[in-house]
Amino acid sequence: MVEGGFTKLFQKRSLVRFTQKYQPLGSAEPEEESQEECELKVIEQEKEVTVLPPKDACKCHKEDLAKALNVDLHTGLSENSVLQRRLKHGWNEFSVDNTEPIWKKYLDQFKNPLILLLLASALVSVITNEYEDAASITVAVLIVVTVAFIQEYRSEKSLEELNKLVPPECNCLREGKLQHLLARELVPGDIIYLSVGDRVPADLRLIEVTDLLVDESSFTGEAEPCNKTDGVLLEAGDITTLSNVVFMGTLVRYGKGKGIVIGTGENSQFGEVFKMMQAEETPKTPLQKSMDRLGKQLTLFSFGIIGLIMLIGWLQGKHLLSMFTIGVSLAVAAIPEGLPIVVTVTLVLGVLRMAKKRVIVKKLPIVETLGCCNVICSDKTGTLTANEMTVTRLVTSDGFQAEVSGVGYNGEGNVYLLPSKEILKEFSNVSVGKLVEAGCVVNNAIIRKNSVIGQPTEGALIALAMKMELADIKDIYVRKKEIPFSSEQKWMAVKCMLKNQDQEDVYFMKGAFEEVIRYCTMYNSSGISLTLTPQQKAIYQQEEKRMGSSGLRVLALASGPELGKLTFLGLVGIIDPPRAGVREAVQVLFESGVSVKMITGDALETAVAIGQNIGLCNGKLKAMSGEELDQLAEAELSATVTNVSIFFRTSPKHKLKIIKALQRAGAVVSMTGDGVNDAVALKSADIGIAMGQAGTDVSKEAANMILVDDDFSTVMNAIEEGKGIFYNIKNFVRFQLSTSISALSLITLSTVLNLPNPLNAMQILWINIIMDGPPAQSLGVEPVDRDTIKQPPRCITDTILSKSLILKIFMSAVIIISGTLFVFWKENPGSGITPRTTTMTFTCFVFFDLFNALTCRSQTKLIFEIGFFRNRMFLYSVLGSFLGQLAVIYVPPLQKIFQTENLGVLDLLFLTGLASSVFIVSELAQKPCFLQGRCRSRDKCQKVNGNGRNLEEKAVRTWSLSGN
């Protein structure tokens, strides 16, 4: 586009010079000078053009606005003007400055403290000439960082595929011609034409409108489209009140319009949110914090071992350097290099399982963070609700009431007469049939492929007619005249006549009850028109207020031979209903200790109605407005927000305040949303969850997770995965540390007490393979326990190495050390260590290891409760290790390498019985320890977070189920 513009400019200049070539010299120079002066003057004028904030532009007359932006309203901008403005204002798009190259993303994986600790131990191994250890540690580290990098890179690519939408286009007036352009090419001052279905390409000040309705739900959270005008506003409030301005990214639902571009790219309202989002830093996940703490604990443990060994050696009079070397070797061996691999593999498997459930996870640690989540803040429109207006209630003029099932524009569902629950079709009930007929005829919407073209409210009336099998009834009428809806009159009417019949014309009207009833003199009673009395009017008015107070948008319908003599037909209640499965999900989350809060830009009545419908906080609702939020100080806000279930009339800044206040109160906050107004909160939350289909690009960019099918109930699955992953990591840590402590203790005791070493170097290497190899790794892939979702959220102050876990580790280690030393003592003839002694001791330790792995499969249940055969990979790993141990004992070449000899069947049975003691004791101790530990953990979390079921007890404003 830029090259094209410069080419045209060059051609123009060349043409001027070509025509001047045959003119007298004296006359050519002044003309060329004046031409250049003119162009310089234009360039200077273009440099002075600045973007106008919406709150200033809305107060300007269109002529003043055109003058300020230096544009002709009838011809638009010239190509030269466009080029000059683009040099100053840039393209109409967002540039992400912090896009990192692939190599830097790969190197960032090395920032994990545990990875750095392992690299340090590899360096120490090189210094002490332990090259094999250094090589194995380095390989382990490379595997970990590469797997993590590949998975995160794949997630980013999945997100890019999700975002590959059709590039936004627009109709723009330039050089007197209407051109079809990409939205990114627009500059301030461009004239844009809007029609139904268009996505607004930039911030526009409207200069002409015809029945223009714009869906601004992605900005404001309001489900109902906004009525737009082209008049000058005297006062400018917040963005929801700027009726003559439309914003980038919003959708034209009805009518048409024309506007001047006042803001592009980062200078648009959309861009303001984008800049706020870019400035917001993503917080560290609880798993990252836990791994940081674990890395520090292991570092202190390592230095403790080195110091202890050196102290004992110095007291024994041994050479300090040799004792330092032994201490460093033991410390390196104590660091579980398999831990990062297990953590990464466990997270990757969690991500892959979530991908099968249509959830994209952008960063690996986020999966586990969901296990700590104790507050979910959710946007209402498009997240908890379907963002599809639906008729849910009918009241006819003669007192019949009906409820409507089904959501959206697919026509699925039924109309049930109350209280009999009889399913109504066509005119099986004349009064309901006539009410539905009127809504279908006085209507301009079209439903195509389950989506509405036109106003969502009118789409809801068409969907209602489809459920009653009356969708084609409008075809029997010929429309002769339409009186369009306007915000002043608050009603719409059409004048029709029946096809092929010489009957008088009939009017159909819909609109606000107080306006429609003014045109009515009769009311319908089973197809017969009766005189409308003041008492009847009062009954209808009372019914209309009752429906409105329950959050429904109420439309009145009437028909008759002429305006002013209409027959009142009844009332229709419309709402943006909850998504399927949301109520059940909210209930399960509440029972598991997760508080769900609704944040919306909607009015109080609508928000409360949806809150009650989805069972928010078991119906005990407390609500607070954005205005009330602004009046609270920071400390007071943190204490108050934990007790509120619904926040209404909120802006993006309010959402951010709520998230920050909850985090200050100690909560781990998840935010779900789909709009531009959710983006900043999505990024600042501990877990940002965006909608894949309805979500805007900016919300998906800000989020950590994407729900591809927009299904809120999949959040439950994600939380379940998060809890399961942390438990699996703890299982692995328990196994590996108990094994490594046992091995280190044996070596340390023999070194300190000048005893012969019970295990040789090759045997220690084999034990290390089991410790970091398949049996250990398979603990990380233990399927998520079915009861996991019922457990309360993990407290963020809990470390991986909790007190109860340390006790279990040392209990297992003591049993393993005692049993192994017993066998070593029993098989030691006193004349020196024999191959049988080391074989029995070595095999005993390995068998202890395998039984220890079996009991480490769960921290909460006995092995028979979780299912012995549930983790097949674990069984294959243990079986492989057992067969490998038999090969080491009985295969001659391996006997030479490992210095072993054959053992009898009774020997193996004895060792199996002895080694099983670690499994039996751990299983017996497991249940009571867990119950006590969880109670303490839950108590501590409630103190820190103020969460749990008592979280919502204090009321800011209480609403009973009746809506009073």
Side-chain angles (χ1 to χ4, degrees), residues 335-407:
I335 296 168
E337 59 263 36
L339 180 58
I341 295 178
V342 165
V343 170
T344 303
V345 169
T346 306
L347 292 173
V348 167
L349 288 170
V351 168
L352 294 176
R353 282 194 294 266
M354 291 312 300
K356 287 178 184 175
K357 295 171 184 174
R358 309 284 288 158
V359 177
I360 293 174
V361 180
K362 290 165 69 177
K363 295 286 182 184
L364 287 181
I366 289 300
V367 187
E368 187 278 332
T369 308
L370 283 154
C372 306
C373 174
N374 46 28
V375 178
I376 296 178
C377 293
S378 181
D379 174 49
K380 179 186 77 70
T381 307
T383 305
L384 294 174
T385 65
N387 200 13
E388 295 177 330
M389 300 301 285
T390 304
V391 176
T392 59
R393 197 162 188 85
L394 304 174
V395 178
T396 66
S397 54
D398 50 353
F400 287 106
Q401 298 205 10
E403 65 178 15
V404 186
S405 65
V407 175

Side-chain angles (χ1 to χ4, degrees), residues 211 227 229 254 442 444 455 458 481-495 507-519 553-556 563 566:
D211 302 332
N227 191 43
T229 64
Y254 188 73
V442 61
N444 290 320
Q455 289 189 52
E458 292 191 335
K481 180 184 176 184
E482 177 183 334
I483 303 171
F485 178 89
S486 74
S487 56
E488 289 79 25
Q489 68 187 26
K490 295 182 181 178
W491 56 265
M492 169 192 175
V494 292
K495 180 182 179 183
Y507 280 89
F508 292 94
M509 177 186 281
K510 75 168 188 294
F513 167 76
E514 63 272 13
E515 297 298 326
V516 172
I517 201 72
R518 288 170 52 202
Y519 293 86
R553 186 188 179 204
V554 184
L555 285 180
L563 296 178
L566 298 179

Side-chain angles (χ1 to χ4, degrees), residues 462-529:
I462 296 288
L464 171 66
M466 290 164 67
K467 293 169 187 177
M468 288 275 288
E469 298 178 1
L470 288 171
D472 297 328
I473 200 165
K474 67 190 302 184
D475 297 335
I476 69 172
Y477 290 96
V478 177
R479 185 179 293 190
K480 297 175 71 175
K481 180 184 176 184
E482 177 183 334
I483 303 171
F485 178 89
S486 74
S487 56
E488 289 79 25
Q489 68 187 26
K490 295 182 181 178
W491 56 265
M492 169 192 175
V494 292
K495 180 182 179 183
C496 303
M497 66 174 286
L498 285 165
K499 286 182 181 177
N500 307 319
Q501 293 187 29
D502 295 329
Q503 291 185 354
E504 63 181 18
D505 296 338
V506 58
Y507 280 89
F508 292 94
M509 177 186 281
K510 75 168 188 294
F513 167 76
E514 63 272 13
E515 297 298 326
V516 172
I517 201 72
R518 288 170 52 202
Y519 293 86
C520 297
T521 56
M522 315 284 281
Y523 75 94
N524 174 61
S525 178
S526 300
I528 301 168
S529 295

Side-chain angles (χ1 to χ4, degrees), residues 12 31 33 76 160 177 220 262 311 413 423 446 466-467 485 590 595 597 609 616 646 736 826 855 859 889 901 910:
K12 287 178 185 177
E31 277 192 33
E33 284 175 11
E160 285 177 19
K177 297 176 184 176
T220 64
I262 56 172
L311 178 63
I423 296 176
I446 300 170
M466 290 164 67
K467 293 169 187 177
F485 178 89
F590 178 76
S595 171
K597 299 180 186 298
L616 207 62
I646 294 173
Q736 198 167 55
K826 178 177 172 293
T855 197
Q859 302 288 323
I889 297 170
E901 64 175 37
F910 165 72

